[in-house]
Amino acid sequence: MNGNLILLNDHHFVLSVNFGASIFTIPDMDSEKIRIGFLGAGGIARSHAFALNSLKYFYSAVPEIELEAVCSARKESSNSFAVKFGFRKSLTLEEFKSNTKINTVLILGPNKVHFAHLKLALEMPSVTRIYLEKPVCSNLEEEMEMAQLAVNSGKQIQVGFQYLQTASVREALDFWHSGKLGNPIHFDLKYYHGDYLQKSYRDKRQTRLTPAPDGGAMADLGSHGISLLMAFLGENLQITSAVQAGRFADVPDDSDLFSLLSLVQPENFAAGTMSASRISSGTGDLVSLEIYAEKGMLRYSSHSVDYFEYYLEETGQWTRHIVGSNYTPITSFPSGHVPPGWLRSMIHAHYIFLGGNDPKAFMPDLKHGLAVQRIVRETAKYLKNYRDLIQDNGKK
């Protein structure tokens, strides 16, 4: 994180806020007790509780962590979460805000409350760091106010794009930015699963079927894909068109189940596609990335998470770079060759969040979160144009 200012590009409503060492400092891991408050007590909150409790097993130097309080919209959920996962208190929102022991807040509630909860956390004088789950907000007005609120807050803000901390992705990013493959020419990224083909699954997740950009596949899954692309290609990606597919009677037409974006990177005219799907049968939980460049290509798939591959024009050879769970020189537990899982990247994201030193890590700060949110928001506009076009053609 480095930075200085808010940048607004009127043509594309590009919002960016850069937070650097001049604005906040991350305390040494051993120098401070971390007193954590959770805003949210759902499934993702359980994953964060697991990650925080697992840090001591994976890293030799971790801060002392105290699970101070949890708050959620339903008091019974908050109470049971506190008891089950070892939080000292279950609080109402007002009680949470006035708790001066909390110095670290994790914002883990539904998408529609992320903005309000960030405002609340920024107003807590004892809070020095905030972990904000994606998407950071729901509309342009919230993006603009969020940028203004945070620019001089003096607080560390990290956005929940944990996939960036997957061991193979971390190493692939380091290799890509070495410049050995030259400038990108074209690219393709997919993030697919098929669970929403089942009505019983959709019925349990009605809050995720709200209209884009608050809900839908691009906001939920695609935001991770956009984040990955921006880590490799920069945050000035622009949409040229979008389409969506899949219709079910119980899903609003403006909540995309599958959507595909055509994107360009204006600096070097690289172009490609990024798609997100909740209805791709047989994919499991697939993240697939291919980047074709002047001197070769790079590819990664979560179906073979232990490695990434690259091809060099100069040698005419493919190289498979085996990574496993190897985060050396920081850590390698239980050993480097053990296959990493989804939760492993979340544990590393918390290590970085709480002050761990990893020069290879891509830090998804609020600037990055707002850049991703710009694409998510603009996707909703392009998808509406597409739906209107299809509807008009159907009337002819």
Side-chain angles (χ1 to χ4, degrees):
M1 290 179 269
N2 51 23
N4 345 342
L5 68 163
I6 304 171
L7 172 64
L8 176 59
N9 179 322
D10 290 329
H11 183 62
H12 287 283
F13 299 104
V14 178
L15 289 167
S16 16
V17 171
N18 231 346
F19 300 93
S22 61
I23 300 178
F24 68 82
T25 34
I26 301 174
D28 180 80
M29 294 193 85
D30 297 323
S31 66
E32 178 193 16
K33 178 183 282 190
I34 308 296
R35 293 185 173 90
I36 289 177
F38 273 24
L39 286 169
I44 195 65
R46 292 197 300 272
S47 298
H48 282 278
F50 171 87
L52 288 165
N53 284 317
S54 300
L55 280 169
K56 58 182 175 288
Y57 296 104
F58 287 85
Y59 304 94
S60 58
V62 294
E64 183 180 355
I65 295 172
E66 187 174 284
L67 301 178
E68 170 65 20
V70 60
C71 169
S72 71
R74 294 173 58 245
K75 186 64 175 175
E76 57 270 27
S77 293
S78 182
N79 290 342
S80 63
F81 191 95
V83 171
K84 186 172 184 178
F85 298 107
F87 284 75
R88 293 181 65 246
K89 299 175 183 177
S90 168
L91 302 177
T92 67
L93 198 60
E94 282 304 311
E95 290 169 340
F96 187 97
K97 184 177 180 180
S98 60
N99 188 315
T100 57
K101 289 186 177 180
I102 297 171
N103 59 28
T104 301
V105 172
L106 277 72
I107 297 172
L108 311 172
N111 297 351
K112 63 183 180 181
V113 300
H114 286 182
F115 173 67
H117 285 175
L118 178 65
K119 287 179 67 174
L120 180 144
L122 288 171
E123 291 169 359
M124 294 172 66
S126 60
V127 171
T128 59
R129 61 175 69 76
I130 301 166
Y131 197 110
L132 173 62
E133 265 297 345
K134 57 79 191 170
V136 295
C137 56
S138 296
N139 55 56
L140 177 59
E141 290 72 27
E142 289 182 354
E143 287 178 55
M144 295 178 72
E145 188 175 348
M146 182 176 282
Q148 293 287 352
L149 281 170
V151 67
N152 294 316
S153 72
K155 302 180 191 292
Q156 174 197 350
I157 303 172
Q158 183 170 318
V159 180
F161 294 115
Q162 297 93 354
Y163 211 95
L164 292 164
Q165 310 312 329
T166 303
S168 294
V169 170
R170 175 175 166 273
E171 294 292 335
L173 269 169
D174 188 58
F175 176 77
W176 171 258
H177 288 299
S178 73
K180 292 179 181 178
L181 297 181
N183 291 322
I185 298 173
H186 65 98
F187 53 87
D188 177 65
L189 190 142
K190 301 178 177 71
Y191 197 161
Y192 293 174
H193 68 67
D195 293 342
Y196 282 72
L197 289 169
Q198 309 302 320
K199 188 177 187 306
S200 58
Y201 193 91
R202 299 196 300 272
D203 287 344
K204 293 177 183 177
R205 289 159 178 83
Q206 290 296 312
T207 59
R208 296 192 178 188
L209 296 174
T210 53
D214 178 64
M218 191 56 68
D220 187 25
L221 301 179
S223 56
H224 282 292
I226 298 164
S227 169
L228 271 175
L229 276 180
M230 287 183 169
F232 281 92
L233 302 175
E235 293 174 354
N236 196 29
L237 289 172
Q238 309 294 344
I239 305 176
T240 63
S241 63
V243 299
Q244 70 180 88
R247 284 198 171 187
F248 296 87
D250 57 326
V251 179
D253 290 346
D254 50 3
S255 176
D256 56 304
L257 291 166
F258 169 92
S259 51
L260 180 146
L261 309 179
S262 293
L263 298 163
V264 296
Q265 207 261 42
E267 284 81 0
N268 50 37
F269 300 99
T273 58
M274 187 267 147
S275 50
S277 176
R278 291 168 158 173
I279 51 173
S280 293
S281 182
T283 55
D285 192 60
L286 171 65
V287 177
S288 171
L289 170 65
E290 295 182 345
I291 303 178
Y292 296 84
E294 296 168 331
K295 300 177 183 179
M297 75 90 66
L298 177 148
R299 66 187 180 195
Y300 164 82
S301 170
S302 61
H303 285 180
S304 50
V305 71
D306 292 348
Y307 61 84
F308 72 93
E309 297 176 299
Y310 62 89
Y311 178 85
L312 291 175
E313 284 288 327
E314 182 181 9
T315 63
Q317 293 182 339
W318 279 98
T319 297
R320 178 173 292 181
H321 187 102
I322 305 294
V323 181
S325 289
N326 193 342
Y327 286 83
T328 54
I330 305 161
T331 181
S332 183
F333 175 81
S335 69
H337 64 268
V338 173
W342 180 84
L343 283 165
R344 180 66 183 91
S345 59
M346 181 173 278
I347 294 168
H348 197 65
H350 285 75
Y351 170 78
I352 296 164
F353 175 58
L354 298 181
N357 180 28
D358 180 5
K360 288 186 178 181
F362 183 95
M363 297 287 286
D365 58 6
L366 190 57
K367 171 185 180 295
H368 182 77
L370 287 169
V372 172
Q373 189 62 25
R374 168 179 61 85
I375 294 292
V376 171
R377 169 175 48 80
E378 290 180 350
T379 295
K381 177 184 69 175
Y382 278 91
L383 290 179
K384 183 180 185 305
N385 292 342
Y386 173 75
R387 291 192 301 270
D388 290 346
L389 176 65
I390 295 300
Q391 186 175 19
D392 290 344
N393 287 340
K395 294 177 180 178
K396 293 179 181 178

